[in-house]
Each structure stands twice: as C-alpha cells, then as structure tokens.
Amino acid sequence: TSLTATPPFSLGFSGLAAGSVSDSDADAVVTISTNAMAGGAMYIRSANAGLTSSLASYTIPSATADLAVASSGYGARVVSATQSSGGPLTANAPFNGASDNVGGLTTNLQEIASVSAPVTSGVATVRLKAKTTAIMPSATDYADTLTFIAAMLF
C-alpha cells in the first residue's frame, strides 16, 4: 500500500459520511516487471462485490458510477499508471475514470491495467472510493477483501 510495504496489507475508510464521496486512507500499489514480449495485465477481484457489514447485515454494493452524482456505491480507480522503461502501462476502463468515477468490483477477475510490451517497474496506484446514504445502516465493520493478480503474456 501507499502506507506500508510489509504484509498484511490493509486499506480502510476513516469514515463514511452520508452523501459524501470518501477515499480510502491508503492506495493499493500494484507493481509489474516482465520481459514477456506481449506484456501482461493486472487484475482485481472482490470477495463481496461491495462493502459488507456482518453487524448490520448489509452490503454497500459496488458499481461502475460517478460517485459524485450516484446516491451510493463503492469501487476502484487507477489514479496513476507509470513505468521506468518499456510499456507503457495503462489503466483499463472502467477503472481509468477521472475524479469520482469508479469501476465496480465483482467476484470475477477484472483487468485493471495492462501493458503490451516488456516493462520495467510498472506501477498502478489504485484508490478505493465509497459513498453512502443516510438510510444505510451504520456499522464499524464494513469490509471487503480484494485480490490483485499480475499475469504475463508470453
């Protein structure tokens, strides 16, 4: 993450105020280096397809949306994609939106960034965003487990 390089990695929201878009307290930093002539890809998968609270028995569903205008939602956005050489590494739709536009997270693998040539020190910085409404149940245990995978294309 942007806060620590030592597992276990945790991203959180310090608070989810109704009607406001909240950014995760840290970003996920996913790296890739490959000599594969066809490059590679980075994938994301959500365990819950939303922020789930067992205490409130409620899930804030993930959605591809502009959270600035949507009533609620949760998703991810690649805020930067860089490399020291090769590439280029690029963010893929719907995770490549601007501002509060996020890609919805599902329980299937979704390609968030890719490179079509060898790359050195490719870095995708992924920010989580969420928005709630006043009628969503309050709880302190809203969570999701995200899995990031990098696959090379030889």
Side-chain angles (χ1 to χ4, degrees):
T1 70
S2 56
L3 295 179
T4 181
T6 307
F9 301 113
S10 179
L11 303 174
F13 293 93
S14 56
L16 294 173
S20 297
V21 179
S22 298
D23 291 349
S24 53
D25 296 337
D27 295 330
V29 179
V30 186
T31 62
I32 185 173
S33 288
T34 182
N35 64 353
M37 294 308 290
M42 297 176 176
Y43 298 88
I44 190 171
R45 179 178 59 212
S46 166
N48 305 319
L51 290 173
T52 300
S53 167
S54 56
L55 292 174
S57 298
Y58 189 83
T59 297
I60 301 167
S62 189
T64 296
D66 179 353
L67 294 180
V69 295
S71 61
S72 66
Y74 157 68
R77 181 170 81 86
V78 177
V79 295
S80 72
T82 61
Q83 67 284 320
S84 62
S85 67
L89 179 66
T90 57
N92 297 339
F95 302 100
N96 62 346
S99 191
D100 292 327
N101 288 283
V102 296
L105 301 169
T106 70
T107 56
N108 298 315
L109 287 175
Q110 297 169 274
E111 192 173 299
I112 59 169
S114 60
V115 60
S116 60
V119 67
T120 302
S121 301
V123 178
T125 303
V126 182
R127 183 165 299 148
L128 303 177
K129 292 179 167 276
K131 184 178 181 182
T132 63
T133 66
I135 61 171
M136 290 181 177
S138 177
T140 58
D141 69 331
Y142 280 100
D144 192 9
T145 300
L146 301 176
T147 302
F148 292 92
I149 296 173
M152 302 321 120
L153 300 171
F154 287 94

